[in-house]
Amino acid sequence: MSRDGSPQAFVEKPGAWIDLALTLPLFLAYHAGVVFLKIQNATDVVTPTLVQLAEGNRGVYLLMTASIGVVFAGIFAWLGRGQAFRTSKFAQVIVEGALYAIMMRVAGSYVVSNMFAPQASLFGPLFEDKRFVGMITSMGAGFYEELAFRVVLFGLGAKVLVSLFAKQNVQVMNQRVVAGTSSFKAFIIMFVWMFAAAALFSGMHYIGALGDKFQMASFIYRMVIGVVLTIIYLTRGFSTAVWAHALYDIWVLVF
C-alpha cells in the first residue's frame, strides 16, 4: 500500500466506498439546503421521499438528513475497512475538481467557438443571480447527475452494450477499465456510447419547466462537458467527477 503523499497515492483512484465517502459532504449540503428552495434537481429521488416521511416538517427533515450522514459514515467505515482513507484525498479531489472545471469551460468554449459564430451567452440567467439557489442546485447536480449519467447511464449502459455486441464483460468502475477492454470492438462501443450518453446528458437540460430554450451551440457545449466528465469518471473516479461537476456549476451559476 502506498504511503500518504507518495506519487502513487496521488494518481491512484480510491476504492468504491471511499469514493462515495468523498462525495458525502456535497450530498449532505445539498439535502440540507434544498428543503428551503422551491426547486430540486430533476434526478433527485431522495428529497421527495424525505419530505413525505417528515410530513413537511423542516426540522424533522434536517434531522433525518443528518441521520443519513451518520449512517452513511458508519457504512463507509465498515464496508470500506481495508481501503486506506486519507483526509488529504478531500483536498486533492477538490483541487482536481477545480482544475477539471476550468478544463471543461475551456474545452466547451473552444469547440463551440470553432463550430458556431460568437454568441452573447450560451446560457440564460437561469436563477436570476440567486447565489444561494445556484450553490445548492450545483451541489445536487454534481452528485445526482454524475450518479445518473456517468454511473448508471454510461457505466451500466457500456457494460450491457459491450456484453451484447462484443461478448465481453467490463467493469466500468474498475480503474483499469480502458486497459482491460482488450478488443478493439469493445473499445469502439464504449467510445461511441460515451458520446451518446453525453448527448443525452446535454439534452436533459432542455426538458421540464426549468429547461433552457434549445440552442445547438449550448447543446454542443454541454455535450463536450458530458464527454469530459465521462473521461474524468473513468480515469479519476466518481468522487472527482462529482466535485468537478459541482464546482463547474458553482462557477457558472454563482460567480
Side-chain angles (χ1 to χ4, degrees), residues 103-170:
M103 181 177 68
M104 287 190 290
R105 192 74 179 259
V106 172
S109 298
Y110 176 80
V111 171
V112 170
S113 66
N114 282 275
M115 294 181 65
F116 301 92
Q119 299 190 17
S121 175
L122 289 174
F123 309 105
L126 183 61
F127 297 116
E128 299 178 353
D129 199 31
K130 295 181 179 178
R131 296 191 174 187
F132 176 73
V133 178
M135 182 72 71
I136 298 301
T137 54
S138 295
M139 291 186 284
F143 183 85
Y144 280 107
E145 290 182 12
E146 289 311 296
L147 183 63
F149 289 96
R150 250 57 68 183
V151 177
V152 178
L153 180 63
F154 172 77
L156 292 181
K159 184 177 179 67
V160 170
L161 290 173
V162 170
S163 176
L164 286 175
F165 296 105
K167 307 303 180 184
Q168 281 188 264
N169 181 30
V170 296

Short mmCIF file of all heavy atoms in Angstrom, two decimals, residues 103-170:
data_model
loop_
_atom_site.label_atom_id
_atom_site.label_comp_id
_atom_site.label_asym_id
_atom_site.label_seq_id
_atom_site.Cartn_x
_atom_site.Cartn_y
_atom_site.Cartn_z
N MET A 103 -10.87 23.19 -17.13
CA MET A 103 -10.64 22.47 -18.37
C MET A 103 -11.95 22.30 -19.15
O MET A 103 -11.97 22.45 -20.38
CB MET A 103 -10.03 21.10 -18.07
CG MET A 103 -9.73 20.27 -19.31
SD MET A 103 -8.93 18.69 -18.90
CE MET A 103 -10.28 17.84 -18.06
N MET A 104 -13.05 21.98 -18.44
CA MET A 104 -14.34 21.81 -19.12
C MET A 104 -14.80 23.11 -19.75
O MET A 104 -15.30 23.12 -20.88
CB MET A 104 -15.38 21.30 -18.12
CG MET A 104 -15.20 19.85 -17.74
SD MET A 104 -16.59 19.19 -16.79
CE MET A 104 -16.40 20.09 -15.24
N ARG A 105 -14.63 24.23 -19.02
CA ARG A 105 -15.05 25.53 -19.55
C ARG A 105 -14.25 25.87 -20.81
O ARG A 105 -14.81 26.32 -21.81
CB ARG A 105 -14.86 26.60 -18.48
CG ARG A 105 -15.51 27.95 -18.79
CD ARG A 105 -17.02 27.86 -18.62
NE ARG A 105 -17.67 29.12 -18.90
CZ ARG A 105 -18.08 29.97 -17.95
NH1 ARG A 105 -17.93 29.66 -16.67
NH2 ARG A 105 -18.68 31.09 -18.27
N VAL A 106 -12.94 25.64 -20.75
CA VAL A 106 -12.08 25.94 -21.89
C VAL A 106 -12.40 25.02 -23.07
O VAL A 106 -12.52 25.49 -24.22
CB VAL A 106 -10.60 25.80 -21.49
CG1 VAL A 106 -9.70 25.91 -22.72
CG2 VAL A 106 -10.23 26.88 -20.47
N ALA A 107 -12.55 23.71 -22.80
CA ALA A 107 -12.83 22.76 -23.87
C ALA A 107 -14.16 23.04 -24.54
O ALA A 107 -14.27 23.05 -25.78
CB ALA A 107 -12.81 21.33 -23.32
N GLY A 108 -15.20 23.29 -23.73
CA GLY A 108 -16.51 23.59 -24.29
C GLY A 108 -16.51 24.85 -25.13
O GLY A 108 -17.06 24.88 -26.23
N SER A 109 -15.86 25.90 -24.62
CA SER A 109 -15.80 27.16 -25.35
C SER A 109 -15.01 27.02 -26.65
O SER A 109 -15.38 27.59 -27.67
CB SER A 109 -15.17 28.24 -24.46
OG SER A 109 -15.95 28.48 -23.31
N TYR A 110 -13.92 26.23 -26.59
CA TYR A 110 -13.09 26.06 -27.78
C TYR A 110 -13.87 25.35 -28.89
O TYR A 110 -13.85 25.78 -30.05
CB TYR A 110 -11.84 25.26 -27.43
CG TYR A 110 -10.96 24.95 -28.62
CD1 TYR A 110 -10.09 25.91 -29.12
CD2 TYR A 110 -11.03 23.71 -29.26
CE1 TYR A 110 -9.30 25.64 -30.22
CE2 TYR A 110 -10.24 23.43 -30.36
CZ TYR A 110 -9.38 24.40 -30.84
OH TYR A 110 -8.60 24.13 -31.94
N VAL A 111 -14.56 24.26 -28.53
CA VAL A 111 -15.32 23.51 -29.54
C VAL A 111 -16.42 24.36 -30.13
O VAL A 111 -16.58 24.43 -31.36
CB VAL A 111 -15.91 22.22 -28.92
CG1 VAL A 111 -16.87 21.55 -29.91
CG2 VAL A 111 -14.79 21.26 -28.54
N VAL A 112 -17.18 25.04 -29.27
CA VAL A 112 -18.30 25.84 -29.76
C VAL A 112 -17.81 27.02 -30.60
O VAL A 112 -18.40 27.34 -31.64
CB VAL A 112 -19.16 26.33 -28.57
CG1 VAL A 112 -20.18 27.36 -29.04
CG2 VAL A 112 -19.87 25.16 -27.93
N SER A 113 -16.73 27.67 -30.17
CA SER A 113 -16.22 28.83 -30.91
C SER A 113 -15.73 28.44 -32.30
O SER A 113 -15.70 29.27 -33.20
CB SER A 113 -15.09 29.50 -30.12
OG SER A 113 -13.97 28.65 -30.03
N ASN A 114 -15.35 27.18 -32.47
CA ASN A 114 -14.88 26.72 -33.78
C ASN A 114 -16.00 26.14 -34.63
O ASN A 114 -15.78 25.80 -35.80
CB ASN A 114 -13.78 25.68 -33.61
CG ASN A 114 -12.44 26.29 -33.26
OD1 ASN A 114 -11.69 26.70 -34.14
ND2 ASN A 114 -12.14 26.38 -31.98
N MET A 115 -17.19 26.00 -34.06
CA MET A 115 -18.32 25.46 -34.80
C MET A 115 -19.40 26.49 -35.08
O MET A 115 -20.15 26.38 -36.04
CB MET A 115 -18.95 24.29 -34.03
CG MET A 115 -18.06 23.07 -33.89
SD MET A 115 -18.87 21.73 -32.99
CE MET A 115 -20.21 21.30 -34.12
N PHE A 116 -19.49 27.50 -34.22
CA PHE A 116 -20.56 28.49 -34.33
C PHE A 116 -20.00 29.90 -34.26
O PHE A 116 -18.92 30.12 -33.72
CB PHE A 116 -21.58 28.30 -33.21
CG PHE A 116 -22.22 26.94 -33.17
CD1 PHE A 116 -21.66 25.92 -32.40
CD2 PHE A 116 -23.34 26.65 -33.93
CE1 PHE A 116 -22.23 24.66 -32.35
CE2 PHE A 116 -23.91 25.39 -33.90
CZ PHE A 116 -23.35 24.39 -33.12
N ALA A 117 -20.78 30.83 -34.76
CA ALA A 117 -20.41 32.23 -34.62
C ALA A 117 -20.49 32.63 -33.16
O ALA A 117 -21.28 32.06 -32.40
CB ALA A 117 -21.36 33.10 -35.46
N PRO A 118 -19.71 33.60 -32.71
CA PRO A 118 -19.76 34.02 -31.31
C PRO A 118 -21.17 34.44 -30.91
O PRO A 118 -21.88 35.10 -31.67
CB PRO A 118 -18.80 35.22 -31.27
CG PRO A 118 -17.88 35.01 -32.42
CD PRO A 118 -18.72 34.35 -33.48
N GLN A 119 -21.56 34.07 -29.70
CA GLN A 119 -22.87 34.43 -29.18
C GLN A 119 -22.70 35.17 -27.86
O GLN A 119 -21.70 35.03 -27.17
CB GLN A 119 -23.72 33.18 -28.96
CG GLN A 119 -23.96 32.40 -30.25
CD GLN A 119 -24.99 31.32 -30.06
OE1 GLN A 119 -25.74 31.31 -29.11
NE2 GLN A 119 -25.01 30.37 -30.98
N ALA A 120 -23.67 35.99 -27.53
CA ALA A 120 -23.58 36.80 -26.31
C ALA A 120 -23.48 35.93 -25.08
O ALA A 120 -22.72 36.20 -24.17
CB ALA A 120 -24.81 37.72 -26.22
N SER A 121 -24.26 34.86 -25.04
CA SER A 121 -24.24 33.98 -23.87
C SER A 121 -24.75 32.61 -24.26
O SER A 121 -25.72 32.49 -25.01
CB SER A 121 -25.13 34.55 -22.75
OG SER A 121 -25.19 33.66 -21.67
N LEU A 122 -24.08 31.58 -23.77
CA LEU A 122 -24.53 30.22 -24.04
C LEU A 122 -25.69 29.84 -23.14
O LEU A 122 -26.52 29.01 -23.49
CB LEU A 122 -23.38 29.23 -23.83
CG LEU A 122 -22.27 29.26 -24.87
CD1 LEU A 122 -21.14 28.34 -24.43
CD2 LEU A 122 -22.78 28.85 -26.23
N PHE A 123 -25.75 30.44 -21.99
CA PHE A 123 -26.77 30.07 -21.01
C PHE A 123 -27.47 31.31 -20.51
O PHE A 123 -26.84 32.32 -20.19
CB PHE A 123 -26.14 29.33 -19.82
CG PHE A 123 -25.26 28.19 -20.25
CD1 PHE A 123 -23.89 28.29 -20.19
CD2 PHE A 123 -25.83 27.03 -20.74
CE1 PHE A 123 -23.09 27.24 -20.60
CE2 PHE A 123 -25.03 25.97 -21.15
CZ PHE A 123 -23.66 26.07 -21.09
N GLY A 124 -28.79 31.22 -20.39
CA GLY A 124 -29.57 32.31 -19.85
C GLY A 124 -29.42 32.41 -18.34
O GLY A 124 -28.90 31.51 -17.70
N PRO A 125 -29.90 33.52 -17.75
CA PRO A 125 -29.82 33.69 -16.29
C PRO A 125 -30.84 32.80 -15.59
O PRO A 125 -31.90 33.25 -15.15
CB PRO A 125 -30.16 35.18 -16.10
CG PRO A 125 -31.02 35.52 -17.28
CD PRO A 125 -30.53 34.67 -18.41
N LEU A 126 -30.51 31.52 -15.49
CA LEU A 126 -31.46 30.51 -15.02
C LEU A 126 -32.04 30.84 -13.66
O LEU A 126 -33.22 30.67 -13.41
CB LEU A 126 -30.76 29.15 -14.97
CG LEU A 126 -31.62 27.95 -14.57
CD1 LEU A 126 -32.74 27.78 -15.57
CD2 LEU A 126 -30.77 26.68 -14.53
N PHE A 127 -31.20 31.33 -12.75
CA PHE A 127 -31.68 31.57 -11.39
C PHE A 127 -31.63 33.05 -11.01
O PHE A 127 -31.69 33.41 -9.85
CB PHE A 127 -30.86 30.76 -10.38
CG PHE A 127 -30.98 29.29 -10.59
CD1 PHE A 127 -29.88 28.54 -10.94
CD2 PHE A 127 -32.21 28.67 -10.46
CE1 PHE A 127 -30.00 27.17 -11.13
CE2 PHE A 127 -32.32 27.31 -10.65
CZ PHE A 127 -31.22 26.56 -10.99
N GLU A 128 -31.50 33.95 -12.00
CA GLU A 128 -31.55 35.39 -11.78
C GLU A 128 -30.56 35.81 -10.69
O GLU A 128 -30.85 36.63 -9.83
CB GLU A 128 -32.98 35.82 -11.42
CG GLU A 128 -33.98 35.51 -12.53
CD GLU A 128 -35.40 35.90 -12.16
OE1 GLU A 128 -35.61 36.29 -10.99
OE2 GLU A 128 -36.27 35.85 -13.02
N ASP A 129 -29.36 35.26 -10.76
CA ASP A 129 -28.28 35.60 -9.84
C ASP A 129 -28.63 35.34 -8.38
O ASP A 129 -28.12 36.01 -7.48
CB ASP A 129 -27.87 37.08 -10.03
CG ASP A 129 -26.48 37.33 -9.46
OD1 ASP A 129 -25.65 36.39 -9.47
OD2 ASP A 129 -26.24 38.44 -8.99
N LYS A 130 -29.48 34.39 -8.10
CA LYS A 130 -29.76 34.00 -6.72
C LYS A 130 -28.68 33.01 -6.30
O LYS A 130 -28.76 31.81 -6.57
CB LYS A 130 -31.16 33.38 -6.61
CG LYS A 130 -32.26 34.39 -6.93
CD LYS A 130 -33.64 33.74 -6.79
CE LYS A 130 -34.74 34.73 -7.08
NZ LYS A 130 -36.08 34.10 -6.99
N ARG A 131 -27.68 33.52 -5.60
CA ARG A 131 -26.47 32.74 -5.36
C ARG A 131 -26.71 31.53 -4.46
O ARG A 131 -26.11 30.48 -4.66
CB ARG A 131 -25.38 33.65 -4.79
CG ARG A 131 -24.95 34.72 -5.78
CD ARG A 131 -23.71 35.44 -5.32
NE ARG A 131 -23.26 36.35 -6.35
CZ ARG A 131 -22.11 37.03 -6.31
NH1 ARG A 131 -21.32 36.90 -5.26
NH2 ARG A 131 -21.77 37.83 -7.29
N PHE A 132 -27.56 31.67 -3.48
CA PHE A 132 -27.83 30.53 -2.60
C PHE A 132 -28.46 29.39 -3.39
O PHE A 132 -28.07 28.23 -3.26
CB PHE A 132 -28.74 30.95 -1.45
CG PHE A 132 -29.14 29.80 -0.55
CD1 PHE A 132 -28.23 29.23 0.32
CD2 PHE A 132 -30.43 29.28 -0.61
CE1 PHE A 132 -28.58 28.16 1.13
CE2 PHE A 132 -30.80 28.22 0.20
CZ PHE A 132 -29.87 27.66 1.08
N VAL A 133 -29.42 29.74 -4.23
CA VAL A 133 -30.09 28.73 -5.06
C VAL A 133 -29.07 28.08 -5.98
O VAL A 133 -29.04 26.85 -6.14
CB VAL A 133 -31.24 29.36 -5.87
CG1 VAL A 133 -31.89 28.31 -6.76
CG2 VAL A 133 -32.27 29.99 -4.94
N GLY A 134 -28.23 28.90 -6.61
CA GLY A 134 -27.22 28.36 -7.51
C GLY A 134 -26.25 27.44 -6.81
O GLY A 134 -25.85 26.41 -7.35
N MET A 135 -25.85 27.81 -5.59
CA MET A 135 -24.91 26.98 -4.83
C MET A 135 -25.51 25.62 -4.50
O MET A 135 -24.88 24.57 -4.71
CB MET A 135 -24.53 27.71 -3.53
CG MET A 135 -23.52 26.97 -2.66
SD MET A 135 -21.86 27.00 -3.36
CE MET A 135 -21.43 28.74 -3.09
N ILE A 136 -26.74 25.62 -3.99
CA ILE A 136 -27.39 24.37 -3.58
C ILE A 136 -27.67 23.48 -4.79
O ILE A 136 -27.37 22.27 -4.77
CB ILE A 136 -28.69 24.65 -2.82
CG1 ILE A 136 -28.41 25.43 -1.53
CG2 ILE A 136 -29.43 23.35 -2.51
CD1 ILE A 136 -27.47 24.71 -0.58
N THR A 137 -28.21 24.06 -5.84
CA THR A 137 -28.54 23.24 -7.02
C THR A 137 -27.27 22.70 -7.69
O THR A 137 -27.30 21.62 -8.28
CB THR A 137 -29.37 24.03 -8.03
OG1 THR A 137 -28.69 25.25 -8.36
CG2 THR A 137 -30.74 24.37 -7.47
N SER A 138 -26.18 23.45 -7.59
CA SER A 138 -24.92 22.98 -8.17
C SER A 138 -24.43 21.72 -7.46
O SER A 138 -23.96 20.77 -8.11
CB SER A 138 -23.85 24.08 -8.07
OG SER A 138 -24.18 25.19 -8.86
N MET A 139 -24.54 21.70 -6.14
CA MET A 139 -24.11 20.52 -5.39
C MET A 139 -25.00 19.32 -5.70
O MET A 139 -24.52 18.20 -5.83
CB MET A 139 -24.09 20.84 -3.90
CG MET A 139 -22.99 21.81 -3.50
SD MET A 139 -22.82 22.09 -1.73
CE MET A 139 -24.23 23.16 -1.43
N GLY A 140 -26.31 19.58 -5.83
CA GLY A 140 -27.22 18.49 -6.19
C GLY A 140 -26.94 17.95 -7.58
O GLY A 140 -26.96 16.74 -7.81
N ALA A 141 -26.67 18.87 -8.52
CA ALA A 141 -26.36 18.44 -9.88
C ALA A 141 -25.08 17.63 -9.91
O ALA A 141 -24.99 16.59 -10.59
CB ALA A 141 -26.23 19.67 -10.80
N GLY A 142 -24.08 18.07 -9.14
CA GLY A 142 -22.82 17.34 -9.12
C GLY A 142 -22.99 15.91 -8.68
O GLY A 142 -22.48 14.98 -9.33
N PHE A 143 -23.74 15.70 -7.60
CA PHE A 143 -23.90 14.34 -7.08
C PHE A 143 -24.87 13.52 -7.91
O PHE A 143 -24.53 12.43 -8.41
CB PHE A 143 -24.38 14.39 -5.63
CG PHE A 143 -24.48 13.02 -5.00
CD1 PHE A 143 -23.37 12.42 -4.43
CD2 PHE A 143 -25.68 12.32 -5.00
CE1 PHE A 143 -23.45 11.15 -3.86
CE2 PHE A 143 -25.78 11.05 -4.45
CZ PHE A 143 -24.66 10.47 -3.87
N TYR A 144 -26.10 14.02 -8.07
CA TYR A 144 -27.15 13.19 -8.68
C TYR A 144 -26.97 13.02 -10.19
O TYR A 144 -27.26 11.95 -10.73
CB TYR A 144 -28.52 13.78 -8.37
CG TYR A 144 -29.00 13.44 -6.99
CD1 TYR A 144 -29.03 14.39 -5.97
CD2 TYR A 144 -29.38 12.14 -6.68
CE1 TYR A 144 -29.46 14.05 -4.69
CE2 TYR A 144 -29.80 11.80 -5.40
CZ TYR A 144 -29.84 12.76 -4.41
OH TYR A 144 -30.26 12.42 -3.15
N GLU A 145 -26.50 14.04 -10.88
CA GLU A 145 -26.33 13.89 -12.33
C GLU A 145 -25.15 12.99 -12.66
O GLU A 145 -25.19 12.25 -13.65
CB GLU A 145 -26.19 15.27 -12.99
CG GLU A 145 -27.50 16.05 -12.97
CD GLU A 145 -27.40 17.41 -13.65
OE1 GLU A 145 -26.39 17.66 -14.34
OE2 GLU A 145 -28.32 18.22 -13.47
N GLU A 146 -24.09 13.04 -11.84
CA GLU A 146 -22.99 12.11 -12.08
C GLU A 146 -23.42 10.68 -11.77
O GLU A 146 -23.04 9.74 -12.47
CB GLU A 146 -21.77 12.50 -11.23
CG GLU A 146 -21.09 13.76 -11.69
CD GLU A 146 -20.81 13.75 -13.18
OE1 GLU A 146 -20.02 12.91 -13.64
OE2 GLU A 146 -21.41 14.59 -13.90
N LEU A 147 -24.21 10.52 -10.73
CA LEU A 147 -24.73 9.19 -10.41
C LEU A 147 -25.61 8.67 -11.53
O LEU A 147 -25.51 7.51 -11.96
CB LEU A 147 -25.51 9.24 -9.10
CG LEU A 147 -26.06 7.91 -8.57
CD1 LEU A 147 -24.93 6.95 -8.23
CD2 LEU A 147 -26.94 8.15 -7.34
N ALA A 148 -26.50 9.54 -12.05
CA ALA A 148 -27.46 9.12 -13.07
C ALA A 148 -26.81 8.94 -14.44
O ALA A 148 -27.07 7.93 -15.13
CB ALA A 148 -28.60 10.14 -13.16
N PHE A 149 -25.97 9.90 -14.84
CA PHE A 149 -25.48 9.89 -16.22
C PHE A 149 -24.13 9.20 -16.40
O PHE A 149 -23.87 8.64 -17.47
CB PHE A 149 -25.41 11.32 -16.77
CG PHE A 149 -26.77 11.92 -17.02
CD1 PHE A 149 -27.38 12.73 -16.09
CD2 PHE A 149 -27.44 11.64 -18.20
CE1 PHE A 149 -28.63 13.27 -16.32
CE2 PHE A 149 -28.70 12.17 -18.45
CZ PHE A 149 -29.30 12.98 -17.50
N ARG A 150 -23.26 9.27 -15.41
CA ARG A 150 -21.96 8.61 -15.56
C ARG A 150 -22.00 7.19 -15.02
O ARG A 150 -21.59 6.25 -15.70
CB ARG A 150 -20.88 9.42 -14.85
CG ARG A 150 -19.91 10.08 -15.80
CD ARG A 150 -20.59 11.00 -16.83
NE ARG A 150 -21.16 12.20 -16.25
CZ ARG A 150 -21.85 13.11 -16.90
NH1 ARG A 150 -22.08 12.96 -18.21
NH2 ARG A 150 -22.34 14.17 -16.30
N VAL A 151 -22.52 7.00 -13.81
CA VAL A 151 -22.50 5.66 -13.21
C VAL A 151 -23.55 4.75 -13.84
O VAL A 151 -23.26 3.64 -14.28
CB VAL A 151 -22.72 5.75 -11.68
CG1 VAL A 151 -22.77 4.35 -11.07
CG2 VAL A 151 -21.61 6.57 -11.02
N VAL A 152 -24.80 5.24 -13.88
CA VAL A 152 -25.90 4.39 -14.36
C VAL A 152 -25.98 4.37 -15.88
O VAL A 152 -25.87 3.31 -16.51
CB VAL A 152 -27.25 4.85 -13.75
CG1 VAL A 152 -28.39 3.99 -14.31
CG2 VAL A 152 -27.21 4.76 -12.22
N LEU A 153 -26.17 5.56 -16.49
CA LEU A 153 -26.38 5.60 -17.94
C LEU A 153 -25.13 5.12 -18.69
O LEU A 153 -25.20 4.16 -19.47
CB LEU A 153 -26.76 7.01 -18.40
CG LEU A 153 -26.99 7.18 -19.90
CD1 LEU A 153 -28.18 6.33 -20.36
CD2 LEU A 153 -27.23 8.65 -20.26
N PHE A 154 -24.00 5.79 -18.46
CA PHE A 154 -22.80 5.39 -19.19
C PHE A 154 -22.24 4.06 -18.67
O PHE A 154 -21.97 3.15 -19.44
CB PHE A 154 -21.71 6.46 -19.10
CG PHE A 154 -20.41 5.99 -19.66
CD1 PHE A 154 -20.21 5.93 -21.03
CD2 PHE A 154 -19.38 5.55 -18.83
CE1 PHE A 154 -19.02 5.44 -21.56
CE2 PHE A 154 -18.19 5.07 -19.34
CZ PHE A 154 -18.00 5.03 -20.72
N GLY A 155 -22.06 3.95 -17.36
CA GLY A 155 -21.41 2.77 -16.79
C GLY A 155 -22.16 1.48 -17.05
O GLY A 155 -21.62 0.54 -17.66
N LEU A 156 -23.42 1.42 -16.61
CA LEU A 156 -24.20 0.20 -16.83
C LEU A 156 -24.53 0.01 -18.31
O LEU A 156 -24.56 -1.11 -18.81
CB LEU A 156 -25.49 0.26 -16.00
CG LEU A 156 -25.32 0.20 -14.49
CD1 LEU A 156 -26.68 0.24 -13.80
CD2 LEU A 156 -24.55 -1.05 -14.07
N GLY A 157 -24.77 1.14 -19.00
CA GLY A 157 -25.06 1.05 -20.43
C GLY A 157 -23.90 0.46 -21.20
O GLY A 157 -24.08 -0.40 -22.07
N ALA A 158 -22.68 0.92 -20.89
CA ALA A 158 -21.49 0.39 -21.57
C ALA A 158 -21.31 -1.09 -21.27
O ALA A 158 -20.97 -1.89 -22.16
CB ALA A 158 -20.26 1.18 -21.13
N LYS A 159 -21.56 -1.47 -20.03
CA LYS A 159 -21.43 -2.88 -19.63
C LYS A 159 -22.38 -3.75 -20.44
O LYS A 159 -22.01 -4.82 -20.95
CB LYS A 159 -21.70 -3.02 -18.14
CG LYS A 159 -21.49 -4.42 -17.59
CD LYS A 159 -21.73 -4.44 -16.09
CE LYS A 159 -21.55 -5.84 -15.52
NZ LYS A 159 -20.16 -6.30 -15.61
N VAL A 160 -23.64 -3.31 -20.58
CA VAL A 160 -24.64 -4.07 -21.31
C VAL A 160 -24.30 -4.13 -22.80
O VAL A 160 -24.37 -5.19 -23.43
CB VAL A 160 -26.04 -3.46 -21.09
CG1 VAL A 160 -27.06 -4.10 -22.04
CG2 VAL A 160 -26.49 -3.64 -19.65
N LEU A 161 -23.95 -2.98 -23.38
CA LEU A 161 -23.67 -2.92 -24.82
C LEU A 161 -22.44 -3.76 -25.19
O LEU A 161 -22.46 -4.47 -26.21
CB LEU A 161 -23.47 -1.47 -25.25
CG LEU A 161 -24.72 -0.59 -25.23
CD1 LEU A 161 -24.36 0.86 -25.50
CD2 LEU A 161 -25.75 -1.08 -26.25
N VAL A 162 -21.39 -3.68 -24.39
CA VAL A 162 -20.19 -4.47 -24.68
C VAL A 162 -20.49 -5.97 -24.54
O VAL A 162 -20.02 -6.78 -25.32
CB VAL A 162 -19.03 -4.06 -23.74
CG1 VAL A 162 -17.87 -5.04 -23.86
CG2 VAL A 162 -18.57 -2.65 -24.07
N SER A 163 -21.31 -6.30 -23.56
CA SER A 163 -21.68 -7.70 -23.36
C SER A 163 -22.49 -8.22 -24.55
O SER A 163 -22.29 -9.35 -25.01
CB SER A 163 -22.49 -7.86 -22.07
OG SER A 163 -22.94 -9.19 -21.90
N LEU A 164 -23.41 -7.39 -25.06
CA LEU A 164 -24.28 -7.81 -26.15
C LEU A 164 -23.53 -7.90 -27.49
O LEU A 164 -23.70 -8.86 -28.25
CB LEU A 164 -25.45 -6.85 -26.29
CG LEU A 164 -26.55 -6.95 -25.23
CD1 LEU A 164 -27.58 -5.85 -25.44
CD2 LEU A 164 -27.22 -8.32 -25.27
N PHE A 165 -22.73 -6.88 -27.79
CA PHE A 165 -22.17 -6.77 -29.14
C PHE A 165 -20.70 -7.20 -29.24
O PHE A 165 -20.22 -7.48 -30.34
CB PHE A 165 -22.30 -5.33 -29.64
CG PHE A 165 -23.73 -4.89 -29.79
CD1 PHE A 165 -24.31 -4.02 -28.87
CD2 PHE A 165 -24.51 -5.35 -30.83
CE1 PHE A 165 -25.62 -3.61 -28.99
CE2 PHE A 165 -25.84 -4.96 -30.97
CZ PHE A 165 -26.40 -4.09 -30.05
N ALA A 166 -19.98 -7.24 -28.11
CA ALA A 166 -18.58 -7.68 -28.16
C ALA A 166 -18.35 -8.95 -27.35
O ALA A 166 -17.23 -9.46 -27.32
CB ALA A 166 -17.67 -6.57 -27.65
N LYS A 167 -19.40 -9.41 -26.68
CA LYS A 167 -19.32 -10.64 -25.89
C LYS A 167 -18.19 -10.58 -24.85
O LYS A 167 -17.46 -11.54 -24.63
CB LYS A 167 -19.11 -11.86 -26.80
CG LYS A 167 -20.12 -12.00 -27.92
CD LYS A 167 -21.55 -12.05 -27.39
CE LYS A 167 -22.54 -12.19 -28.55
NZ LYS A 167 -23.95 -12.14 -28.08
N GLN A 168 -18.06 -9.40 -24.24
CA GLN A 168 -17.05 -9.22 -23.20
C GLN A 168 -17.71 -8.68 -21.94
O GLN A 168 -18.79 -8.08 -21.99
CB GLN A 168 -15.97 -8.22 -23.64
CG GLN A 168 -14.92 -8.80 -24.57
CD GLN A 168 -13.80 -7.80 -24.79
OE1 GLN A 168 -13.80 -7.07 -25.78
NE2 GLN A 168 -12.85 -7.77 -23.87
N ASN A 169 -17.05 -8.91 -20.82
CA ASN A 169 -17.54 -8.39 -19.54
C ASN A 169 -16.57 -7.33 -19.04
O ASN A 169 -15.40 -7.62 -18.77
CB ASN A 169 -17.64 -9.52 -18.51
CG ASN A 169 -18.17 -9.03 -17.18
OD1 ASN A 169 -18.96 -8.08 -17.13
ND2 ASN A 169 -17.74 -9.65 -16.10
N VAL A 170 -17.03 -6.08 -18.97
CA VAL A 170 -16.18 -4.99 -18.49
C VAL A 170 -16.72 -4.46 -17.17
O VAL A 170 -17.93 -4.39 -16.95
CB VAL A 170 -16.08 -3.84 -19.51
CG1 VAL A 170 -15.41 -4.31 -20.77
CG2 VAL A 170 -17.45 -3.26 -19.82
#
